[in-house]
């Protein structure tokens, strides 16, 4: 029996995942993802601080030539912690037995991941490429969504506001001039955009091709399985500078230096849409609510990646069914999920295993998982991230 099959059988369709930590050289950690204070720069100053934790990931983090082969990838771990295998390799071997035949036949992989992005300050106004541009560098386009959980935001960082898109009256010539001025100091791109104050426990839909400068909050981000991006803003709030190589990141070699190409990456109509907030903002929508548990859609405006929040009352034991495979991350509380422990950690050392992250196969999701809250005072709160999900399709059709 292969290790993949052994671990699948051990968990009866629920896979224990090890934390996947990701550094970014251009970021300063916000220190809200429960990593030990001594470990944020454990990978070395040249790699940058760890300000991301990736969930249910079969996607390699694109962090330059010094990036390890397994950075960003989730490992499936045995109950005793002595054996592990990449989730990517398990999916490659067991295929639809893990993610469902429909997803495997369409993508040949698990096509999404989620993350906590935890930066002390705001990020530059940047963009994720659409398929037509990502394909030119051998990648996929990257739609993503944001949700800002209260449990991960005991402080708001230095700038808890997000710039989205461009002003409705922005001119292409002015945006191009900002890009051409990237190396001259502050290119003033944010002068052409608008910021929104972020409300905790709400979310936003961010399609590929839309500029965005995320707030200094710890953000939960379900997204398609890709790590393409380019930074269009040169100097951040607080005076931090962005390297010019990030302006041309994921740009074909033959297009580097071509500012018209950078402009083409922008989905112009989506960026200048005067109804941007109406179309992209997401408040939680309850789909089940009783004295035992509440389940809500929290990220639901993109069919390729979505998320729910599940809250189980103190002392309750519930069976919850879903129509698709999913990953989960625990935000609060403790108890069990089937035979596995559920524990929200207070502090995590780099390299340690936890009991707060799992992957539920399609078969186990459809059969239903039993979640028991062993506390008599505190709820269990978890976030569940999905790829394509028939339940979401019906929800979107009913809520047009």
């Amino acid at each position: 029996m292969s290790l993949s099959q052994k671990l699948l059988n051990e968990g009866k369709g629920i896979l224990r995942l090890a934390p996947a930590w990701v550094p970014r050289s251009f970021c300063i950690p916000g220190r809200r993802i429960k990593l030990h204070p001594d470990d944020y720069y454990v990978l070395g100053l040249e790699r940058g601080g760890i300000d991301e934790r990736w969930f249910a990931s079969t996607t390699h983090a694109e962090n330059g030539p010094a990036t390890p082969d397994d950075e960003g990838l989730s490992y499936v771990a045995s109950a005793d912690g002595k054996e592990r295998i990449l989730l990517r390799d398990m999916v490659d071997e067991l295929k639809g037995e893990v993610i469902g035949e429909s997803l495997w036949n369409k993508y040949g992989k698990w096509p999404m991941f989620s993350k906590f992005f935890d930066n002390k300050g705001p990020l530059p106004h940047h963009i994720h490429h659409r398929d037509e541009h990502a394909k030119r560098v051998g990648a996929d386009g990257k739609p993503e969504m944001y949700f800002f959980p209260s449990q991960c935001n005991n402080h708001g960082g230095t700038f808890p506001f997000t710039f989205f898109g461009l002003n409705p009256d922005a001119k292409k010539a002015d945006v191009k001039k900002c890009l051409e001025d990237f190396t001259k100091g502050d290119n003033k791109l944010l002068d052409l955009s608008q910021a929104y104050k972020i409300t905790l426990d709400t979310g936003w839909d961010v399609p590929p091709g839309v500029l965005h400068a995320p707030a200094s909050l710890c953000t939960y981000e379900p997204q398609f399985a890709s790590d393409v991006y380019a930074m269009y803003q040169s100097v951040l709030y607080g005076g931090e500078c962005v390297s010019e190589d990030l302006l041309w990141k994921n740009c074909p070699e033959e297009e580097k230096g071509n500012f018209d190409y950078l402009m083409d990456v922008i989905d112009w109509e989506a960026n200048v849409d005067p109804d941007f907030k109406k179309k992209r903002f997401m408040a939680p929508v309850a789909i089940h609510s009783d004295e035992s548990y509440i389940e809500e859609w929290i990220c639901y405006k993109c069919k390729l990646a979505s998320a729910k929040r599940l809250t189980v009352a103190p002392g309750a034991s519930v069976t919850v069914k879903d129509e698709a495979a999913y990953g989960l991350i625990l935000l609060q509380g403790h108890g069990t999920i089937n035979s596995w422990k559920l524990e929200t950690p207070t502090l995590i050392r780099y390299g340690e295993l936890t009991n707060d992250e799992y992957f539920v196969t399609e078969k186990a999701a459809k059969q239903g998982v039993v979640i028991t809250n062993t506390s008599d005072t505190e709820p269990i709160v978890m976030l569940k991230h999905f790829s394509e999900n028939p339940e979401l399709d019906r929800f979107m059709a009913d809520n047009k």
Side-chain angles (χ1 to χ4, degrees):
M1 180 186 296
S2 70
L3 180 56
S4 292
Q5 194 67 58
K6 179 182 177 182
L7 295 180
L8 182 65
N9 293 347
E10 178 186 58
K12 295 180 174 60
I14 299 180
L15 310 173
R16 181 192 190 190
L17 300 183
W21 306 105
V22 175
R24 296 293 192 186
S25 61
F26 51 84
C27 294
I28 300 174
R31 300 174 182 265
R32 291 165 293 200
I33 51 177
K34 301 180 181 178
L35 189 61
H36 190 284
D38 291 344
D39 292 349
Y40 281 99
Y41 291 90
V42 70
L43 299 175
L45 296 180
E46 70 283 355
R47 299 292 326 282
I50 293 172
D51 61 356
E52 299 188 28
R53 180 179 170 186
W54 289 20
F55 307 124
S57 172
T58 60
T59 302
H60 183 243
E62 299 296 334
N63 271 338
T67 309
D69 291 340
D70 62 352
E71 189 154 279
L73 299 175
S74 295
Y75 278 89
V76 180
S78 60
D80 62 10
K82 294 181 179 179
E83 295 180 292
R84 61 174 65 190
I85 187 172
L86 286 171
L87 176 63
R88 180 190 64 190
D89 294 346
M90 179 182 281
V91 172
D92 286 346
E93 178 185 342
L94 301 181
K95 304 177 173 60
E97 194 173 357
V98 178
I99 66 173
E101 294 297 335
S102 177
L103 281 180
W104 176 258
N105 291 336
K106 183 173 183 177
Y107 294 105
K109 65 178 181 178
W110 173 243
M112 69 84 63
F113 68 101
S114 193
K115 67 167 76 169
F116 283 154
F117 197 106
D118 177 38
N119 202 43
K120 181 181 178 181
L123 285 184
H125 217 30
H126 69 281
I127 201 162
H128 300 295
H129 302 68
R130 289 172 282 171
D131 277 336
E132 62 193 272
H133 304 99
K135 296 296 184 188
R136 294 188 62 180
V137 293
D140 293 309
K142 182 180 176 177
E144 63 183 7
M145 284 178 288
Y146 294 163
F147 183 76
F148 306 92
S150 295
Q151 291 87 347
C152 302
N153 282 290
N154 58 308
H155 69 86
T158 61
F159 193 81
F161 307 85
T162 293
F163 285 86
F164 285 114
L166 297 162
N167 293 327
D169 60 353
K171 302 294 189 293
K172 290 184 178 181
D174 294 333
V175 175
K176 184 179 178 182
K177 180 67 163 54
C178 290
L179 300 179
E180 292 171 338
D181 289 345
F182 192 93
T183 61
K184 299 177 182 179
D186 183 358
N187 65 352
K188 296 182 168 46
L189 182 59
L190 292 188
D191 291 1
L192 305 179
S193 182
Q194 55 187 325
Y196 298 82
K197 185 179 185 300
I198 298 302
T199 301
L200 295 184
D201 296 313
T202 66
W204 292 79
D205 173 38
V206 187
V210 170
L211 287 159
H212 52 293
S216 56
L217 290 163
C218 182
T219 311
Y220 170 73
E221 301 183 7
Q223 57 203 268
F224 195 75
S226 176
D227 196 28
V228 293
Y229 63 90
M231 301 295 186
Y232 280 23
Q233 179 189 353
S234 58
V235 180
L236 297 176
Y237 175 83
E240 298 166 52
C241 297
V242 179
S243 173
E244 185 188 7
D245 65 302
L246 294 177
L247 173 65
W248 301 103
K249 191 174 185 307
N250 295 120
C251 178
E253 285 296 323
E254 64 271 20
E255 299 291 3
K256 289 184 177 178
N258 181 1
F259 292 97
D260 287 328
Y261 179 79
L262 296 185
M263 290 296 298
D264 190 57
V265 171
I266 299 172
D267 184 338
W268 189 260
E269 295 306 318
N271 277 272
V272 299
D273 187 349
D275 293 325
F276 188 91
K277 181 176 181 180
K278 179 180 178 180
K279 293 179 181 178
R280 305 301 175 191
F281 176 77
M282 296 177 292
V285 179
I287 52 177
H288 178 96
S289 181
D290 61 26
E291 62 183 12
S292 295
Y293 77 97
I294 300 170
E295 188 160 54
E296 304 157 288
W297 279 113
I298 56 171
C299 295
Y300 47 81
K301 292 194 173 184
C302 174
K303 292 185 177 183
L304 300 180
S306 58
K308 294 178 180 179
R309 178 172 60 182
L310 176 66
T311 303
V312 180
S317 184
V318 301
T319 299
V320 180
K321 295 182 179 182
D322 285 284
E323 297 184 24
Y326 60 92
L328 70 86
I329 180 67
L330 195 64
L331 295 181
Q332 186 177 352
H334 58 88
T336 59
I337 178 168
N338 286 7
S339 61
W340 291 102
K341 293 180 180 178
L342 282 175
E343 299 171 335
T344 306
T346 301
L347 197 65
I348 310 169
R349 292 306 305 246
Y350 183 86
E352 282 185 345
L353 288 172
T354 58
N355 292 317
D356 67 338
E357 186 186 356
Y358 294 91
F359 187 93
V360 180
T361 63
E362 183 187 70
K363 181 179 179 181
K366 288 181 175 180
Q367 289 175 341
V369 299
V370 179
I371 300 169
T372 301
N373 187 340
T374 53
S375 172
D376 58 5
T377 59
E378 185 175 30
I380 282 176
V381 182
M382 67 176 66
L383 305 180
K384 307 194 297 185
H385 24 278
F386 300 85
S387 178
E388 296 179 20
N389 184 342
E391 185 182 349
L392 177 65
D393 293 340
R394 293 195 301 275
F395 173 80
M396 293 176 72
D398 292 341
N399 289 271
K400 284 185 177 179

